[in-house]
Amino acid sequence: MSKSTDPSKNSISSAIFGLQDTLQFHALGPVNLDKARDEFSQQINSIRNICSQFETEVLGDVMKMGVGADPAFRKHFTHLKEQAALESTVIRLKEILISSKEQLELPLKEKEESKSKIEIQKLEKLAQSMGLITFVDSSKMFESDSPTSTITLGGTLIVIDIDIDDKGKVQKTKVTYVSESMQSDQDDRVDKILTENLQLRKFDLFKRNLWSLALLDQLNIKYKPLDFFSITKNLLQDLKAVCLIESEIEFDFSSILTEGHGIPCLHLSYPGISIAYWLDKPTIASTDWNQVKQLLQQNENHDVLLRASKILISFEDSTQLMHYLPLSRPNYLLAFDETEDSIKEGVDGEHFKVVYENSYPKFMSPMRYVKPLPTIPDSVPVPVRFVATVEPPIAMADELCQTLMNVIGLLNTEAMEQYAIKNTSQCPSLEEILVPNIMLTKQYVKKLLYAQICQ
């Protein structure tokens, strides 16, 4: 009959649980679709291989048995069902035991260990999951005036010091950049964001914001000589330039928020670029938008933008290789006096392409940007792309999402032609989107099962 296999590595149950782990993201939460598609395909391929092995090894042997094939197959099939049920139970039980162990250890730690130590251990675990090294200095813990411990989270280019008192409360957080060239990037607003996250016990926000810094640190090392801190800074310059250009044409600065390209902010509630794009009407009406504009020109953020809906700009892994602008041309946005001819006549001009935005405000002409071509010299393509995360999340219909993707140039036209979607009731499932030719596989499985039933 079938060969013995390791059920933890080669079984439909383990593959199904792998699918569940892959798809355990909130419907409104951020997810890297490339990574999800790849993991989903791997699990589906695992199931396909197991089914194929079952067909060739088990069914083949059963058919050779002749008259006694039917009871033998039924017995074997029943055994497989029992084995799958047992394995599913074991997997679930293992998850429950791990969760129970963590829950039981928590009150024991709180009882036996100091609150500051518990907080430090939590931060150590989080930092290590992000590839940061940790160091704890408790030399000031025994000072009578202000006993504190300092935990240092260190990357290659960034160092984060967090002071915690003996009651487990965070006193302050300080982010330091190691590189001399990045000293001008020191910003107290980042310290304030991380400190408030921890003091208000918003650990999920702290995790997100810490990861935004750790990610840039890792990308700079992994894809050297690319400097993702500088790429972010140059992108912010472009976004601010667009905003100020719009403000010269549209005097109502609130219209730029709601109808324009939005108001770009640095270190608003997130260490990096945020683009505010919506506020409720009462707040818009009661806000001094001239002051918002003045603060933007001074590289500061107005407090009202904290209440706005925002887009957070970061980076994520990509299956496609991306080219970023060289040092000789750090900005994507074309100036008014630049033309396609002047770009081509400039340094490495033949390796740039001028592109126009697909959609733009009614009071503006389309902005022009340069796009580096794969032929650009001294440019190393990397599997990293820009990603925008909507905060707070927005629930939307699939059709609206496709329209939005089309506006910003992210629509997969090949996939759309393949599925020929006419209305939302005919939208493909997540399975159909992630797994190529899944319908053919389903039809094959149905035919196989039907043949078994007929026998």
Side-chain angles (χ1 to χ4, degrees):
M1 301 292 281
S2 62
K3 298 178 182 178
S4 61
T5 57
D6 182 357
S8 64
K9 296 182 179 179
N10 189 16
S11 70
I12 292 182
S13 294
S14 59
I16 292 296
F17 275 90
L19 283 176
Q20 292 178 351
D21 290 339
T22 299
L23 299 178
Q24 275 185 351
F25 51 83
H26 195 279
L28 305 181
V31 61
N32 187 323
L33 285 179
D34 283 349
K35 187 176 294 185
R37 183 181 290 111
D38 182 59
E39 293 177 358
F40 197 97
S41 297
Q42 289 178 12
Q43 300 295 348
I44 290 294
N45 287 335
S46 176
I47 294 175
R48 284 176 175 166
N49 292 335
I50 294 168
C51 291
S52 177
Q53 181 182 358
F54 180 82
E55 179 186 13
T56 56
E57 297 182 4
V58 178
L59 293 183
D61 291 344
V62 169
M63 296 301 293
K64 294 176 183 178
M65 295 176 64
V67 179
D70 185 63
F73 177 75
R74 290 182 182 277
K75 182 178 180 181
H76 181 69
F77 193 71
T78 302
H79 173 70
L80 290 178
K81 288 171 61 178
E82 293 173 350
Q83 182 182 0
L86 177 61
E87 184 179 347
S88 299
T89 303
V90 170
I91 293 175
R92 289 192 178 93
L93 180 60
K94 182 179 179 181
E95 293 177 348
I96 293 172
L97 289 174
I98 292 174
S99 177
S100 300
K101 179 175 178 290
E102 293 175 350
Q103 294 296 325
L104 289 171
E105 287 178 346
L106 186 60
L108 290 175
K109 285 183 178 180
E110 292 178 350
K111 184 177 180 180
E112 297 176 358
E113 300 177 354
S114 65
K115 292 183 178 180
S116 63
K117 189 173 182 180
I118 293 173
E119 291 299 315
I120 288 173
Q121 289 176 346
K122 187 187 298 184
L123 290 171
E124 283 180 323
K125 185 177 180 180
L126 176 62
Q128 290 166 4
S129 70
M130 297 182 181
L132 301 173
I133 61 173
T134 59
F135 173 77
V136 179
D137 179 9
S138 301
S139 59
K140 296 182 180 180
M141 179 54 74
F142 303 102
E143 294 183 1
S144 57
D145 295 338
S146 56
T148 58
S149 293
T150 301
I151 177 172
T152 300
L153 316 180
T156 304
L157 299 174
I158 59 170
V159 175
I160 303 167
D161 295 311
I162 304 173
D163 291 343
I164 304 174
D165 65 15
D166 57 340
K167 296 180 181 179
K169 295 183 179 179
V170 173
Q171 300 300 308
K172 68 176 182 178
T173 302
K174 179 65 177 177
V175 178
T176 306
Y177 297 100
V178 177
S179 174
E180 289 292 334
S181 61
M182 297 174 61
Q183 295 307 307
S184 59
D185 295 331
Q186 296 285 160
D187 199 314
D188 293 340
R189 290 176 294 185
V190 180
D191 304 339
K192 182 180 178 182
I193 291 171
L194 297 180
T195 301
E196 288 184 352
N197 291 160
L198 291 172
Q199 289 178 340
L200 298 176
R201 312 297 296 175
K202 295 181 178 179
F203 203 69
D204 288 340
L205 278 180
F206 175 78
K207 180 180 179 180
R208 181 201 70 182
N209 294 333
L210 178 63
W211 172 242
S212 70
L213 295 171
L215 176 63
L216 293 180
D217 184 88
Q218 292 177 12
L219 292 177
N220 265 32
I221 301 304
K222 187 174 182 179
Y223 299 112
K224 197 174 182 179
L226 276 179
D227 185 350
F228 286 86
F229 287 96
S230 295
I231 292 173
T232 301
K233 188 190 306 182
N234 294 329
L235 178 62
L236 177 67
Q237 292 177 359
D238 286 341
L239 295 172
K240 287 183 64 176
V242 171
C243 182
L244 294 175
I245 290 171
E246 290 181 340
S247 69
E248 294 175 358
I249 299 173
E250 176 55 62
F251 297 106
D252 182 3
F253 201 66
S254 65
S255 296
I256 297 172
L257 173 79
T258 56
E259 300 177 28
H261 287 81
I263 300 177
C265 309
L266 182 64
H267 309 322
L268 180 60
S269 57
Y270 162 81
I273 300 175
S274 305
I275 303 176
Y277 68 89
W278 184 86
L279 268 171
D280 59 274
K281 289 184 178 180
T283 303
I284 290 177
S286 61
T287 300
D288 183 352
W289 289 99
N290 287 328
Q291 187 180 19
V292 176
K293 179 180 177 181
Q294 291 173 3
L295 288 173
L296 175 68
Q297 293 171 330
Q298 298 169 9
N299 297 322
E300 296 182 17
N301 303 319
H302 195 287
D303 289 342
V304 74
L305 298 178
L306 289 168
R307 297 152 59 184
S309 295
K310 299 173 284 291
I311 292 175
L312 312 181
I313 306 297
S314 184
F315 299 91
E316 70 174 6
D317 293 334
S318 170
T319 55
Q320 294 182 338
L321 295 177
M322 308 296 292
H323 287 267
Y324 289 90
L325 292 174
L327 295 176
S328 59
R329 173 78 200 197
N331 295 98
Y332 290 95
L333 182 66
L334 264 68
F336 276 121
D337 57 350
E338 288 185 303
T339 63
E340 292 191 41
D341 291 337
S342 66
I343 292 295
K344 291 181 179 179
E345 293 171 359
V347 179
D348 296 327
E350 67 274 15
H351 303 291
F352 294 109
K353 178 182 179 181
V354 176
V355 295
Y356 291 75
E357 58 184 347
N358 297 330
S359 182
Y360 46 91
K362 60 184 179 182
F363 54 82
M364 289 290 296
S365 299
M367 291 292 178
R368 303 167 302 154
Y369 304 92
V370 292
K371 177 182 179 180
L373 299 176
T375 58
I376 189 167
D378 301 326
S379 175
V380 180
V382 295
V384 179
R385 64 188 174 196
F386 287 112
V387 61
T389 303
V390 180
E391 184 189 73
I394 299 176
M396 67 175 66
D398 182 78
E399 187 176 2
L400 178 59
C401 184
Q402 292 165 10
T403 302
L404 178 61
M405 292 175 68
N406 186 38
V407 168
I408 59 179
L410 293 179
L411 189 62
N412 187 340
T413 54
E414 294 181 0
M416 296 304 300
E417 292 174 358
Q418 177 183 357
Y419 298 115
I421 299 173
K422 296 181 180 179
N423 55 58
T424 54
S425 64
Q426 296 176 334
C427 289
S429 65
L430 178 62
E431 180 185 54
E432 292 168 338
I433 293 173
L434 293 176
V435 184
N437 303 320
I438 185 63
M439 297 307 297
L440 296 176
T441 302
K442 285 185 174 181
Q443 292 173 4
Y444 169 76
V445 173
K446 286 181 179 179
K447 289 180 180 179
L448 180 63
L449 292 175
Y450 180 75
Q452 293 174 3
I453 293 172
C454 292
Q455 292 175 1

